[in-house]
Amino acid sequence: PWHLFSNSLTKSSTSLVGNANLITKVYFPRIIIPLSSVLSSLLDFAISLVITLLAMVFYKVPFTWTLLWIVPFAFLAIIIALAIGLWFSALNVQYRDVHQMLPFITQTWLYITPVLYPINVSEGGLMQIIYNLNPMVGVVQGFRWAMFGGTPPDIGMLISSGAVFVLLITGFLYFRHMEKTFADVV
């Protein structure tokens, strides 16, 4: 799920500047550009998922019905990448150095998301709530549960989903606000 998110975020953040000649020639809903960039990452994800499933067969990891939950969790990862990508793509048109910061941001985000360590590192209280504000925490936890069993998503998934909803709404509003100047600035 992290590769899906990171790849989608990188593509969507630079999509408007990369398609500057198209933006200045004809009017169309500009949100199509970051959306199509995010959706194009699904092909890479599908190939990775097939390889992962083959590895699960090779290592005799049992398949269960929870494996079907990969689809909604992948959809949530795409929504997260779109939400943040809307912010960064609009900012990248105005401030061209945003794409220079993106690798640093995604690398830092990787370390604050439980990709390389278990989810229960920060159990309990206020710290767990703050930790769950990272929207990718719920996605990674959901993928682990769907593929390998263990602890199902808990209330932290609701907190992560709420953070995604806020990011998507604010990202869309900011994108729509800045869209008026894209053709002039890009």
Side-chain angles (χ1 to χ4, degrees), residues 108-169:
T108 304
W109 202 333
L110 171 71
Y111 292 125
I112 61 173
T113 303
V115 174
L116 304 173
Y117 53 89
I119 188 79
N120 58 3
V121 168
S122 64
E123 281 190 34
L126 180 63
M127 189 62 186
Q128 184 69 32
I129 292 172
I130 292 171
Y131 184 66
N132 285 325
L133 286 175
N134 175 354
M136 284 303 292
V137 167
V139 171
V140 170
Q141 180 186 12
F143 261 81
R144 282 188 182 147
W145 168 72
M147 295 183 80
F148 306 114
T151 307
D154 56 358
I155 191 73
M157 187 68 195
L158 292 175
I159 295 171
S160 292
S161 298
V164 171
F165 181 72
V166 169
L167 282 171
L168 184 62
I169 296 298

Side-chain angles (χ1 to χ4, degrees), residues 47-59:
I47 294 168
S48 299
L49 185 61
V50 167
I51 293 170
T52 302
L53 293 175
L54 290 173
M56 288 175 70
V57 168
F58 181 76
Y59 288 108

